[in-house]
Amino acid sequence: MTDPFVLQRDGVGVVVDATHPGLPRVLHWGAALPEGVLGDLTAGVLSAAVDRQTPPGTLDAAWEATILPDEGDGYSGRPGMSLRRGGVLLRARWRLDEIVHDATRCVIDAVDDAAQLSVRVEIEVATGGVVWVRSQLRNDGEPVEVDWLEPSLPVPTTASHTLTFDGRWAREKRPVVTVMPPGSTVRQSRRGRPGHDAATMLVASVGEPQWQSGRMWGVHVAWSSDTSYRLDRITDQRTRIGAGELLRPGEIVLGAGEDYAAPDVAFVYADDGMDGLAARVHTWLRGRPQHPSSPRPLTLNTWEAVYFDHDPARLIALAERAARLGFERFVLDDGWFAGRRDDSTSLGDWIVDHTVWPDGLSPLVERVHALGMQFGLWFEPEMVSLDSDLARSHPDWLLHDPRHLQHAAELSWRTQYVLDIANPDAYAHVFGQIDALVGELGVDAIKWDHNRDTIESLHAGRPGTHAQTHAFTRMVAELKARHPGLEIESCASGGARTDLGALAVCDRVWASDSNDPVERQDIQRWTGLLLPPELVGAHVGPAVSHGSGRATDLSYRMATSLMGSAGFESDLMELSDDEGAQVAAFAALYKRLRAIMHAGRVSHPTLRDPAWRVTAFTAKDAAAAVVVVATVASLEDARAERLLLSGLDPERTYRVSVKDELGPARHGWVTPPWFSAGVIELPGAVLAEVGLQLPPLWPVQAFVLELSAL
């Protein structure tokens, strides 16, 4: 037993109480408390302030819920853990064995002697104020089946709304805001990857969530597969949010001496809206040792330029024009490997197609490197086509119940299936082919795709999603260890795997297969609630989007791309000379501004008209900022609103300039004087409180502002 203690960092505090029997309770998660505020508080005083009744408590008035609440505690919400032994629910009775803590981290060890179980829970307030909870269960008795292990933390009952996400292919990250429902609610993903409709985050807020104001508490599970997000709003407890891995029955069965480590779960609190929530996660990500430290290269991906029509001379010419325009990375997408002339065949045969590339890929790679660019190559290592040498040689390597394949024509997804890379032989085969090509060619980057859901997975006689996901992260990590400097992008038919589990080993995500910049405005905006812009691939597509058929100006497409890790996914050979000059100017602008945009705080100035999309990137020292102003529809008013820019130094004067490198943005007949002049100098206080009159932009137009402190 110990008095309550506080864990704090970067404005966030967690108060842990281990004075009661069983697992500890979290009495507070939110704003940091004044230094030393608990020093004079005894456990009894604190309990008197927040407990629901005078001791001794009985089940007539349930105890304060623990980090893993259970029915045995009188808790009527979803249990934090569900275990079975011999097919019967196992009811653990935890005894606190040891708790060790410092200023930011505690480790809790508890045991159930009779059941021969032990559990370890680590709570850490990490950089940025992100609270990480890590849980591990160990069995030392008869086999135990784990149904789930889901830590949760309390939020004030005043939280009234929830935010999660939904979506589909080419329209990911659709926000879903609802009034908080009563009872226990679970949002699950069963796709073998988070999916285009992944919840991504569960946010509880006081009132509807706003970008720049309001208190909110969010949770994200760092797991690139099936997940459960949980909300418990029950009448006799504080509201709780949590998350964990979704396990299928029989997937995790612990024998004696075995343990199950649940995926890490991030809990994020902010009192300054969704921008504040995002800033905490961005700060944590940027503080990791493996976070990309080099400038994010302007990338050309060949997919929407050539698709499967690979011609060495044409692709070398494409690389040469890319280099002249200022590109820094050239990625050869799908279609380079043996027999791959369409998407119905050859996945799993990762050898160069010499009928298309008679001299192999070396001449292209050497030319790309000679032009001063990095070379990237597309793979889909977790997938296999039935029409492939691999599938014909090893049909037993597929990650499917064999009966699933009896209906192959009906149950195929893009005419491809999932390869069981948790099978050591399959892992070694795929890893060996990729490893050899990366080493032989000097590949600098991999676009790692995952183009279908995992259905009826079966590995070693059990559901195989858990093992498959660990094999994915292990293979990525092993490839990067074998090839220092190799970068890997997580793509899953777009944004179906954009989570912190993937980012533990990957360097970038592909936000969506949609390059329609109107759709991309919101896809990138909401992806940014979790990920900073330097980790989010954002490319310029063709004038007419291949996914939506919408036609947009080149300037609008480039302004949208500027908001992330920028690139192109269109045929540069089709550009006119004037358009080529425009792209070259964009490339120079991106290289100059990315130091601000890829390190600063991202914010979303609030405008009433739903047609506006404004994203600001402000340097840490507030000496500079970049603002992308766009519309996605026609404006409601003839006179547009004023743009207020917060986060600047109120006592400094800023030079605000309209960047014309992208080309002029078309707008109505009213042109504010500052916009017409292209530059104005104003104090930060004026920009924040009085603002700038916006021009009445036409639908689907954009412009970029650069702010520099004088």
Side-chain angles (χ1 to χ4, degrees):
M1 300 295 181
T2 179
D3 280 344
F5 56 89
V6 62
L7 312 173
Q8 296 196 150
R9 180 182 289 175
D10 294 345
V12 172
V14 176
V15 178
V16 181
D17 176 20
T19 61
H20 290 241
L23 290 171
R25 314 172 299 169
V26 170
L27 301 182
H28 167 74
W29 161 44
L33 302 173
E35 198 67 34
V37 71
L38 293 181
D40 297 326
L41 287 180
T42 66
V45 170
L46 194 60
S47 294
V50 300
D51 272 0
R52 59 170 297 162
Q53 71 168 28
T54 302
T58 70
L59 290 185
D60 295 329
W63 304 332
E64 186 81 19
T66 71
I67 188 74
L68 292 168
D70 195 15
E71 187 177 348
D73 302 325
Y75 186 73
S76 61
R78 178 176 169 89
M81 181 188 304
S82 179
L83 310 173
R84 283 180 288 170
R85 178 171 277 161
V88 178
L89 185 67
L90 195 161
R91 303 186 187 278
R93 292 290 184 268
W94 298 113
R95 172 181 60 81
L96 184 62
D97 184 47
E98 184 179 33
I99 184 166
V100 178
H101 69 89
D102 56 25
T104 60
R105 175 177 172 269
C106 73
V107 178
I108 302 158
D109 287 302
V111 297
D112 182 331
D113 298 303
Q116 295 181 280
L117 295 174
S118 57
V119 66
R120 167 169 286 189
V121 179
E122 177 185 342
I123 305 173
E124 179 189 12
V125 186
T127 302
V130 176
V131 178
W132 284 97
V133 179
R134 305 175 180 94
S135 311
Q136 184 168 328
L137 177 74
R138 178 180 174 86
N139 175 46
D140 287 305
E142 295 297 315
V144 168
E145 182 175 342
V146 181
D147 294 326
W148 68 76
L149 179 55
E150 300 168 353
S152 60
L153 291 181
V155 303
T157 309
T158 49
S160 59
H161 286 70
T162 62
L163 165 67
T164 57
F165 293 91
D166 195 9
R168 60 167 172 80
W169 175 77
R171 198 179 179 188
E172 297 88 338
K173 304 297 186 295
R174 180 176 69 86
V176 180
V177 177
T178 61
V179 174
M180 189 176 289
S184 294
T185 305
V186 181
R187 172 79 186 278
Q188 295 182 325
S189 169
R190 295 175 179 270
R191 298 182 177 275
R193 54 181 181 173
H196 299 96
D197 59 347
T200 303
M201 236 181 166
L202 169 62
V203 178
S205 61
V206 179
E208 290 193 16
Q210 306 294 324
W211 280 108
Q212 296 197 303
S213 64
R215 299 176 70 210
M216 53 192 61
W217 299 257
V219 60
H220 170 81
V221 57
W223 182 243
S224 287
S225 191
D226 298 336
T227 57
S228 289
Y229 284 84
R230 51 178 295 150
L231 166 70
D232 296 279
R233 189 182 183 96
I234 54 180
T235 59
D236 55 357
Q237 288 284 352
R238 285 189 293 162
T239 302
R240 303 185 71 85
I241 61 173
E245 177 185 7
L246 185 152
L247 295 168
R248 286 162 174 78
E251 190 158 11
I252 299 294
V253 179
L254 302 179
E258 295 181 338
D259 56 31
Y260 165 66
D264 295 355
V265 182
F267 294 86
V268 192
Y269 164 76
D271 59 7
D272 50 356
M274 292 183 289
D275 284 340
L277 204 73
R280 291 197 181 280
V281 187
H282 296 182
T283 298
W284 178 82
L285 281 163
R286 288 167 171 167
R288 302 170 304 153
Q290 75 268 34
H291 192 74
S293 57
S294 60
R296 297 296 79 209
L298 182 64
T299 298
L300 175 65
N301 183 284
T302 65
W303 177 241
E304 292 192 28
V306 302
Y307 292 107
F308 292 107
D309 185 16
H310 282 207
D311 174 76
R314 180 185 177 192
L315 284 159
I316 287 175
L318 185 62
E320 289 172 343
R321 187 161 202 201
R324 289 195 300 271
L325 295 178
F327 285 79
E328 300 164 299
R329 178 179 287 172
F330 181 94
V331 178
L332 183 66
D333 210 287
D334 195 359
W336 57 267
F337 49 99
R340 185 68 164 180
R341 304 279 52 82
D342 58 44
D343 64 0
S344 66
T345 181
S346 303
L347 288 174
D349 296 339
W350 304 112
I351 55 175
V352 177
D353 191 336
H354 285 276
T355 64
V356 177
W357 296 90
D359 298 317
L361 293 179
S362 293
L364 173 64
V365 178
E366 290 168 3
R367 184 60 179 145
V368 167
H369 284 156
L371 291 166
M373 295 187 295
Q374 299 174 1
F375 179 80
L377 194 59
W378 181 93
F379 290 92
E380 197 171 1
E382 299 152 272
M383 299 295 153
V384 62
S385 304
L386 293 186
D387 182 13
S388 67
D389 291 342
L390 177 62
R392 284 185 285 270
S393 300
H394 299 283
D396 54 315
W397 285 2
L398 272 66
L399 185 72
H400 298 282
D401 187 311
R403 291 172 296 175
H404 182 90
L405 298 177
Q406 295 173 6
H407 304 281
E410 294 85 359
L411 295 176
S412 170
W413 187 307
R414 285 186 47 148
T415 65
Q416 65 186 64
Y417 293 83
V418 186
L419 185 70
D420 182 7
I421 59 170
N423 178 313
D425 294 332
Y427 182 102
H429 174 82
V430 173
F431 179 87
Q433 287 190 322
I434 298 174
D435 177 50
L437 274 170
V438 171
E440 173 191 337
L441 297 173
V443 173
D444 303 291
I446 288 175
K447 180 179 177 182
W448 184 299
D449 219 334
H450 185 297
N451 273 313
R452 64 155 290 167
D453 289 351
T454 299
I455 297 173
E456 292 189 336
S457 66
L458 190 67
H459 167 75
R462 292 182 182 174
T465 304
H466 174 86
Q468 180 82 352
T469 306
H470 276 297
F472 152 65
T473 55
R474 185 170 70 252
M475 187 179 291
V476 172
E478 188 176 353
L479 280 167
K480 294 182 70 175
R482 287 284 296 272
H483 304 280
L486 176 68
E487 293 193 356
I488 295 182
E489 174 182 46
S490 170
C491 175
S493 52
R497 189 153 68 179
T498 57
D499 58 275
L500 297 186
L503 264 302
V505 290
C506 295
D507 306 282
R508 188 184 198 243
V509 302
W510 183 231
S512 178
D513 279 349
S514 173
N515 278 325
D516 179 333
V518 177
E519 300 287 352
R520 273 284 186 151
Q521 281 285 331
D522 283 345
I523 291 169
Q524 292 171 193
R525 166 179 289 235
W526 291 106
T527 300
L529 187 62
L530 187 69
L531 305 180
E534 65 269 25
L535 299 181
V536 181
H539 289 183
V540 176
V544 177
S545 168
H546 292 188
S548 69
R550 194 197 317 263
T552 52
D553 290 346
L554 178 59
S555 62
Y556 187 82
R557 284 175 276 142
M558 292 193 297
T560 303
S561 173
L562 187 68
M563 296 159 58
S565 180
F568 272 61
E569 195 135 350
S570 55
D571 191 353
L572 301 181
M573 306 304 290
E574 296 180 349
L575 296 175
S576 67
D577 290 343
D578 287 345
E579 289 173 328
Q582 196 176 351
V583 171
F586 164 77
L589 181 68
Y590 170 70
K591 293 173 185 178
R592 189 165 60 79
L593 297 182
R594 62 188 169 191
I596 301 170
M597 305 177 78
H598 293 174
R601 178 177 172 123
V602 184
S603 61
H604 301 84
T606 302
L607 295 170
R608 181 195 59 80
D609 192 328
W612 289 109
R613 296 292 184 273
V614 182
T615 307
F617 308 82
T618 306
K620 291 180 182 179
D621 60 1
V626 177
V627 184
V628 180
V629 181
T631 55
V632 297
S634 60
L635 300 178
E636 293 181 353
D637 298 324
R639 177 168 179 165
E641 300 169 54
R642 290 182 183 178
L643 173 63
L644 305 181
L645 297 174
S646 60
L648 303 172
D649 186 337
E651 298 182 0
R652 300 171 80 173
T653 296
Y654 291 84
R655 180 183 177 87
V656 183
S657 56
V658 182
K659 310 314 295 176
D660 59 6
E661 288 91 335
L662 307 184
R666 291 177 291 175
H667 60 280
W669 58 90
V670 178
T671 304
W674 75 271
F675 192 77
S676 179
V679 65
I680 193 170
E681 295 178 1
L682 289 171
V686 172
L687 290 166
E689 298 298 331
V690 180
L692 291 167
Q693 173 65 52
L694 288 170
L697 284 186
W698 287 4
V700 193
Q701 294 291 305
F703 64 87
V704 177
L705 300 178
E706 181 179 9
L707 285 72
S708 302
L710 300 178

